[in-house]
Every structure is written in structure tokens, then in C-alpha cells.
């Protein structure tokens, strides 16, 4: 199932910026949207980039308004360039993913404020995340490769 674009709205949160919010219920497993492959290709992360390969980052992807959560409701698939619901999403929920699922290192680590009972506190990328914690999440192929190489 693919979600209609009218099911999402851009909203602004004081303190952390823009976010995509569900306007209608989104069932688990739904294709929420496809990412555009636009933006400069970089070899190192920036504060606005998405890591799409072992040493490849896409700077400021178009329509990229997903924030972090330690209990995500979507998965960003950097192989298929899609955003997929990983649980049922209710109207009014912001779309959020687990940053270490795509990011080995963050340009600017931050104190997480997701409010989850399982909040990790500091988010610095998969390299700095406890391997046992990473095992609880779906991760992109490039993160799995980097974990195996212990870079």
C-alpha cells in the first residue's frame, strides 16, 4: 500500500524545526513516500545529510523532514530510497526514524528528546551506539557493512 501525499503535512516545531506529520492513519508496512535522489553527493556527513552508502552522503534531500526517535514509526530504506511505516501510525503523529539506521557518524551528535521510555540519551550515529542496542533495530546495508568492518 502506498500512502497518498495528502496524508502528510509539513509542520513546524519550536526548537527543532520542520517535520512531516500524518494527517490520516498509515498502516504498518505502507510505503509512506519515495525519496528523491536529488542533492549534492558528499563523502562526509553534514548536519542535513542522509548517509546512503559506506562513504556516500546525500546533502539535504528534497522533502527531507524526518526527525529522530528511539521508537521510530518509519524506516528509511537507502537501497530502495523509500520511507516505510514500521508500525501503524495515527493521525497527528510526526514521522520519525532511528538515525543510526542510516548514519554511521553524525556531524553533530545531540541529546535525544524523543521522550521514549527506551530513549538512548545521546545520539551520535551507529559507530557510537551499543551493538546490543543496534541489534533491536532494522539497519541499512551500509550500516551493517560498517559494523562488520569495525571502522
Amino acid at each position: 500500500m502506498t500512502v497518498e501525499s495528502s496524508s502528510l503535512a509539513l509542520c513546524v516545531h519550536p526548537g527543532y524545526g520542520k517535520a512531516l506529520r500524518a494527517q490520516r492513519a498509515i498502516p504498518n508496512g505502507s510505503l509512506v513516500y519515495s525519496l528523491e535522489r536529488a542533492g549534492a553527493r558528499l563523502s562526509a556527513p553534514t548536519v542535513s545529510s542522509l548517509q546512503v552508502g559506506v562513504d556516500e552522503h546525500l546533502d539535504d534531500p528534497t522533502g527531507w523532514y524526518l526527525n529522530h526517535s528511539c521508537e521510530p514509526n518509519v524506516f528509511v530504506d537507502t537501497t530502495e530510497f523509500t520511507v516505510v511505516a514500521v508500525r501503524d501510525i495515527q493521525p497527528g503523529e510526526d514521522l520519525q526514524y532511528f538515525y543510526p539506521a542510516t548514519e554511521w557518524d553524525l556531524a553533530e551528535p545531540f541529546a535525544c528528546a524523543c521522550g521514549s521510555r527506551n530513549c538512548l540519551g545521546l545520539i551520535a550515529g551507529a559507530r557510537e551506539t551499543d551493538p546490543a542496542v543496534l541489534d533491536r533495530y532494522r539497519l541499512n546495508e551500509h550500516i551493517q557493512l560498517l559494523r562488520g568492518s569495525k571502522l
Side-chain angles (χ1 to χ4, degrees), residues 27-48:
N28 184 17
S30 296
L31 171 62
V32 178
Y33 65 94
S34 293
L35 297 169
E36 293 184 29
R37 295 178 189 259
R41 300 281 177 160
L42 308 169
S43 60
T46 69
V47 72
S48 62

mmCIF file of all heavy atoms in Angstrom, residues 27-48:
data_model
loop_
_atom_site.group_PDB
_atom_site.id
_atom_site.type_symbol
_atom_site.label_atom_id
_atom_site.label_comp_id
_atom_site.label_asym_id
_atom_site.label_seq_id
_atom_site.Cartn_x
_atom_site.Cartn_y
_atom_site.Cartn_z
ATOM 1 N N PRO A 27 -1.131 2.500 7.764
ATOM 2 C CA PRO A 27 -0.938 1.126 8.250
ATOM 3 C C PRO A 27 0.529 0.678 8.212
ATOM 4 O O PRO A 27 1.301 1.102 7.349
ATOM 5 C CB PRO A 27 -1.769 0.276 7.281
ATOM 6 C CG PRO A 27 -2.656 1.233 6.557
ATOM 7 C CD PRO A 27 -1.949 2.554 6.562
ATOM 8 N N ASN A 28 0.898 -0.165 9.152
ATOM 9 C CA ASN A 28 2.211 -0.786 9.201
ATOM 10 C C ASN A 28 2.530 -1.410 7.843
ATOM 11 O O ASN A 28 1.681 -2.051 7.239
ATOM 12 C CB ASN A 28 2.228 -1.851 10.301
ATOM 13 C CG ASN A 28 3.577 -2.485 10.480
ATOM 14 O OD1 ASN A 28 4.591 -1.970 10.044
ATOM 15 N ND2 ASN A 28 3.596 -3.616 11.149
ATOM 16 N N GLY A 29 3.743 -1.212 7.378
ATOM 17 C CA GLY A 29 4.184 -1.791 6.111
ATOM 18 C C GLY A 29 3.907 -0.938 4.895
ATOM 19 O O GLY A 29 4.357 -1.254 3.795
ATOM 20 N N SER A 30 3.193 0.170 5.058
ATOM 21 C CA SER A 30 2.869 1.041 3.929
ATOM 22 C C SER A 30 4.097 1.789 3.429
ATOM 23 O O SER A 30 4.940 2.216 4.222
ATOM 24 C CB SER A 30 1.822 2.081 4.330
ATOM 25 O OG SER A 30 0.614 1.483 4.675
ATOM 26 N N LEU A 31 4.154 1.957 2.121
ATOM 27 C CA LEU A 31 5.143 2.848 1.532
ATOM 28 C C LEU A 31 4.643 4.259 1.799
ATOM 29 O O LEU A 31 3.607 4.666 1.280
ATOM 30 C CB LEU A 31 5.282 2.601 0.033
ATOM 31 C CG LEU A 31 6.134 3.604 -0.738
ATOM 32 C CD1 LEU A 31 7.570 3.605 -0.254
ATOM 33 C CD2 LEU A 31 6.056 3.332 -2.226
ATOM 34 N N VAL A 32 5.345 4.994 2.638
ATOM 35 C CA VAL A 32 4.912 6.335 3.011
ATOM 36 C C VAL A 32 5.240 7.307 1.883
ATOM 37 O O VAL A 32 4.420 8.098 1.477
ATOM 38 C CB VAL A 32 5.528 6.772 4.349
ATOM 39 C CG1 VAL A 32 5.109 8.178 4.709
ATOM 40 C CG2 VAL A 32 5.138 5.792 5.458
ATOM 41 N N TYR A 33 6.465 7.272 1.385
ATOM 42 C CA TYR A 33 6.820 8.021 0.188
ATOM 43 C C TYR A 33 8.184 7.580 -0.307
ATOM 44 O O TYR A 33 8.935 6.924 0.405
ATOM 45 C CB TYR A 33 6.749 9.541 0.384
ATOM 46 C CG TYR A 33 7.715 10.164 1.364
ATOM 47 C CD1 TYR A 33 8.929 10.691 0.943
ATOM 48 C CD2 TYR A 33 7.392 10.278 2.711
ATOM 49 C CE1 TYR A 33 9.796 11.295 1.836
ATOM 50 C CE2 TYR A 33 8.253 10.884 3.606
ATOM 51 C CZ TYR A 33 9.453 11.391 3.157
ATOM 52 O OH TYR A 33 10.307 11.990 4.041
ATOM 53 N N SER A 34 8.467 7.945 -1.546
ATOM 54 C CA SER A 34 9.774 7.688 -2.147
ATOM 55 C C SER A 34 10.615 8.939 -2.020
ATOM 56 O O SER A 34 10.115 10.051 -2.192
ATOM 57 C CB SER A 34 9.621 7.315 -3.619
ATOM 58 O OG SER A 34 8.963 6.082 -3.746
ATOM 59 N N LEU A 35 11.886 8.747 -1.707
ATOM 60 C CA LEU A 35 12.821 9.861 -1.613
ATOM 61 C C LEU A 35 13.312 10.226 -3.010
ATOM 62 O O LEU A 35 13.466 9.358 -3.872
ATOM 63 C CB LEU A 35 14.019 9.475 -0.748
ATOM 64 C CG LEU A 35 13.732 9.157 0.699
ATOM 65 C CD1 LEU A 35 14.958 8.541 1.352
ATOM 66 C CD2 LEU A 35 13.316 10.411 1.438
ATOM 67 N N GLU A 36 13.573 11.492 -3.206
ATOM 68 C CA GLU A 36 14.184 11.922 -4.460
ATOM 69 C C GLU A 36 15.693 11.780 -4.312
ATOM 70 O O GLU A 36 16.240 12.019 -3.241
ATOM 71 C CB GLU A 36 13.804 13.367 -4.759
ATOM 72 C CG GLU A 36 12.327 13.529 -5.068
ATOM 73 C CD GLU A 36 11.980 14.948 -5.457
ATOM 74 O OE1 GLU A 36 12.857 15.655 -6.010
ATOM 75 O OE2 GLU A 36 10.835 15.333 -5.202
ATOM 76 N N ARG A 37 16.338 11.412 -5.373
ATOM 77 C CA ARG A 37 17.795 11.250 -5.341
ATOM 78 C C ARG A 37 18.492 12.551 -5.710
ATOM 79 O O ARG A 37 19.510 12.554 -6.363
ATOM 80 C CB ARG A 37 18.213 10.124 -6.279
ATOM 81 C CG ARG A 37 17.688 8.776 -5.847
ATOM 82 C CD ARG A 37 18.083 7.698 -6.832
ATOM 83 N NE ARG A 37 17.409 6.461 -6.534
ATOM 84 C CZ ARG A 37 17.957 5.442 -5.898
ATOM 85 N NH1 ARG A 37 19.210 5.507 -5.495
ATOM 86 N NH2 ARG A 37 17.275 4.344 -5.673
ATOM 87 N N ALA A 38 17.915 13.658 -5.258
ATOM 88 C CA ALA A 38 18.471 14.985 -5.543
ATOM 89 C C ALA A 38 19.379 15.421 -4.405
ATOM 90 O O ALA A 38 19.269 14.921 -3.290
ATOM 91 C CB ALA A 38 17.335 15.981 -5.732
ATOM 92 N N GLY A 39 20.237 16.350 -4.683
ATOM 93 C CA GLY A 39 21.136 16.871 -3.652
ATOM 94 C C GLY A 39 22.571 16.504 -3.965
ATOM 95 O O GLY A 39 22.852 15.552 -4.680
ATOM 96 N N ALA A 40 23.484 17.266 -3.411
ATOM 97 C CA ALA A 40 24.907 17.035 -3.635
ATOM 98 C C ALA A 40 25.349 15.733 -2.968
ATOM 99 O O ALA A 40 24.932 15.434 -1.850
ATOM 100 C CB ALA A 40 25.712 18.207 -3.081
ATOM 101 N N ARG A 41 26.191 14.985 -3.656
ATOM 102 C CA ARG A 41 26.784 13.770 -3.096
ATOM 103 C C ARG A 41 28.064 14.164 -2.373
ATOM 104 O O ARG A 41 28.918 14.852 -2.936
ATOM 105 C CB ARG A 41 27.094 12.740 -4.181
ATOM 106 C CG ARG A 41 25.882 12.281 -4.964
ATOM 107 C CD ARG A 41 25.097 11.276 -4.189
ATOM 108 N NE ARG A 41 23.898 10.898 -4.937
ATOM 109 C CZ ARG A 41 23.219 9.801 -4.735
ATOM 110 N NH1 ARG A 41 23.599 8.965 -3.798
ATOM 111 N NH2 ARG A 41 22.143 9.543 -5.420
ATOM 112 N N LEU A 42 28.183 13.744 -1.117
ATOM 113 C CA LEU A 42 29.320 14.102 -0.278
ATOM 114 C C LEU A 42 29.996 12.849 0.255
ATOM 115 O O LEU A 42 29.375 11.789 0.346
ATOM 116 C CB LEU A 42 28.847 14.950 0.908
ATOM 117 C CG LEU A 42 27.995 16.172 0.586
ATOM 118 C CD1 LEU A 42 27.402 16.742 1.861
ATOM 119 C CD2 LEU A 42 28.831 17.208 -0.141
ATOM 120 N N SER A 43 31.259 12.984 0.678
ATOM 121 C CA SER A 43 31.975 11.842 1.256
ATOM 122 C C SER A 43 31.960 11.868 2.782
ATOM 123 O O SER A 43 32.400 10.916 3.414
ATOM 124 C CB SER A 43 33.415 11.797 0.742
ATOM 125 O OG SER A 43 34.093 12.979 1.104
ATOM 126 N N ALA A 44 31.455 12.941 3.365
ATOM 127 C CA ALA A 44 31.392 13.058 4.828
ATOM 128 C C ALA A 44 30.026 13.644 5.208
ATOM 129 O O ALA A 44 29.421 14.369 4.426
ATOM 130 C CB ALA A 44 32.512 13.945 5.342
ATOM 131 N N PRO A 45 29.557 13.337 6.419
ATOM 132 C CA PRO A 45 28.239 13.828 6.816
ATOM 133 C C PRO A 45 28.219 15.325 7.094
ATOM 134 O O PRO A 45 29.225 15.924 7.472
ATOM 135 C CB PRO A 45 27.946 13.050 8.101
ATOM 136 C CG PRO A 45 29.283 12.721 8.660
ATOM 137 C CD PRO A 45 30.175 12.523 7.463
ATOM 138 N N THR A 46 27.048 15.912 6.881
ATOM 139 C CA THR A 46 26.756 17.272 7.314
ATOM 140 C C THR A 46 25.551 17.177 8.243
ATOM 141 O O THR A 46 24.938 16.110 8.374
ATOM 142 C CB THR A 46 26.422 18.210 6.137
ATOM 143 O OG1 THR A 46 25.163 17.817 5.579
ATOM 144 C CG2 THR A 46 27.507 18.188 5.078
ATOM 145 N N VAL A 47 25.187 18.281 8.850
ATOM 146 C CA VAL A 47 24.060 18.268 9.773
ATOM 147 C C VAL A 47 22.741 17.987 9.044
ATOM 148 O O VAL A 47 21.782 17.522 9.654
ATOM 149 C CB VAL A 47 24.005 19.583 10.593
ATOM 150 C CG1 VAL A 47 23.550 20.744 9.735
ATOM 151 C CG2 VAL A 47 23.138 19.419 11.814
ATOM 152 N N SER A 48 22.712 18.196 7.734
ATOM 153 C CA SER A 48 21.469 17.985 6.987
ATOM 154 C C SER A 48 21.534 16.840 5.981
ATOM 155 O O SER A 48 20.661 16.695 5.142
ATOM 156 C CB SER A 48 21.093 19.280 6.254
ATOM 157 O OG SER A 48 22.098 19.621 5.323
#
